Each structure stands twice: as structure tokens, then as C-alpha cells.
Amino acid sequence: MAKILTMEDIKQAIVNYIFDDRKTQAVLLDGEWGCGKTFFVKEHLIPALQNIGNAKIYKISLYGISNVDMIQEMLYAQWLEEVVGEKTGEIGKVVNKGINIFGKSAIHALEGKFGAEGAVENVVRTLIDGVIKKNAYNIIIFDDLERCRVDIIQLMGFLNNL
């Protein structure tokens, strides 16, 4: 008879997998709708991952997302938010809010206004690369996969390329 895993067993298995440098594949937490996957991730898994030094967690809901560019924008916005948060004080809070709302589009608008196409994005990309590289582990958690409107093959291909 197979042993039924407890939440602690599942959490520990995922944590061990993520921090095993020999493994680089994604983990899929599957279960019936309403069984508590999001609760488990928020209340158990993320706190366990945050207790490991040099790990940064990015959580993105795919609810209503209709193309992979939107996912990339949301990742970009979270990375920009982290960069701005590290580099500024009170002004950073205002900039962060704009980045969260407008993401990469805000960068392109600034470049267009000042006639510096690509310049701001290149600076930001360099800053983002620095943020990403300083973390030994960058963990991206996607929630609401079943509510995403992107074709599953295209979505999996995009996620695999991350």
C-alpha cells in the first residue's frame, strides 16, 4: 500500500528538489480545483523557500492571461520593481507602482519621449541581470495555470524556455 504524503512531506520534497543543483526542471503541483494548492504554496512552500539564503521568489497568477508576452511583462515588472526598490527610497515606491501597472511599456514610452530607443531598456536590462545573478536561486511560481487562456503547448514551451 502506498504511503499518503503529508503537507510537510510534499513541502520538503519540493524544497529538496529545487535546491538540488543537479535538477533544473519545473515542478508541477497538481490537484483538484479547490483542494488547497494555492493555500499550500502561500502558507507552507513560500515561507520554507524564503528561509533559504540567496533565494528570490517571484509569484505570478496566470488568471486571464491571453498571451505569453503578458507573462513576460509581469516577470519584467517584478524584476524592475526589485531593481528600483534596491536603488531608491521613497521615490522608488512611486516608480514601483508605475512599473507594476505598466511594466516594460513604461520603459518604451520613456524611450520614445526622449528619442532614446533601446537606451533605457539596455540600462534596465543590465540592472535586472545584476539582480537575477546575485540570487543563487530565482524561483518563479505560476498560479492559476488552469485559468490561463494561452494554448497549453505554447505556454509550456514558454515556461520551459525560462
Side-chain angles (χ1 to χ4, degrees):
M1 190 158 118
K3 176 188 173 197
I4 295 177
L5 298 176
T6 66
M7 276 202 277
E8 185 61 33
D9 294 334
I10 296 168
K11 176 184 75 178
Q12 199 54 53
I14 294 171
V15 169
N16 290 344
Y17 184 87
I18 289 172
F19 293 107
D20 183 340
D21 291 331
R22 299 171 296 167
K23 300 186 172 123
T24 60
Q25 300 297 311
V27 174
L28 174 66
L29 186 59
D30 190 21
E32 294 293 320
W33 187 87
C35 72
K37 296 179 298 293
T38 299
F39 175 82
F40 170 76
V41 168
K42 283 182 182 176
E43 300 299 321
H44 297 281
L45 186 58
I46 289 176
L49 294 171
Q50 287 173 330
N51 286 333
I52 312 279
N54 253 354
K56 179 66 180 169
I57 296 123
Y58 304 95
K59 185 175 177 301
I60 294 176
S61 172
L62 298 178
Y63 187 95
I65 298 299
S66 59
N67 63 61
V68 293
D69 290 338
M70 292 173 73
I71 301 169
Q72 187 64 46
E73 287 281 325
M74 291 173 10
L75 274 171
Y76 197 83
Q78 284 195 21
W79 291 331
L80 272 173
E81 183 178 342
E82 188 175 344
V83 168
V84 171
E86 287 182 357
K87 304 289 181 201
T88 61
E90 285 301 310
I91 293 173
K93 291 178 185 175
V94 174
V95 174
N96 276 345
K97 190 170 194 123
I99 288 169
N100 256 341
I101 295 168
F102 301 109
K104 197 173 180 180
S105 303
I107 300 274
H108 291 300
L110 280 173
E111 290 174 342
K113 182 166 178 72
F114 295 107
E117 192 168 323
V120 175
E121 186 169 354
N122 289 336
V123 169
V124 169
R125 188 176 311 276
T126 302
L127 292 171
I128 288 173
D129 285 346
V131 164
I132 292 171
K133 287 176 184 170
K134 82 171 183 173
N135 302 318
Y137 299 93
N138 290 285
I139 302 162
I140 306 171
I141 297 172
F142 294 100
D143 195 11
D144 301 314
L145 186 72
E146 73 280 6
R147 293 184 175 127
C148 185
R149 296 184 300 167
V150 176
D151 173 73
I152 193 68
I153 301 297
Q154 183 184 14
L155 178 63
M156 291 298 119
F158 173 79
L159 298 180
N160 187 53
N161 283 331
L162 287 176

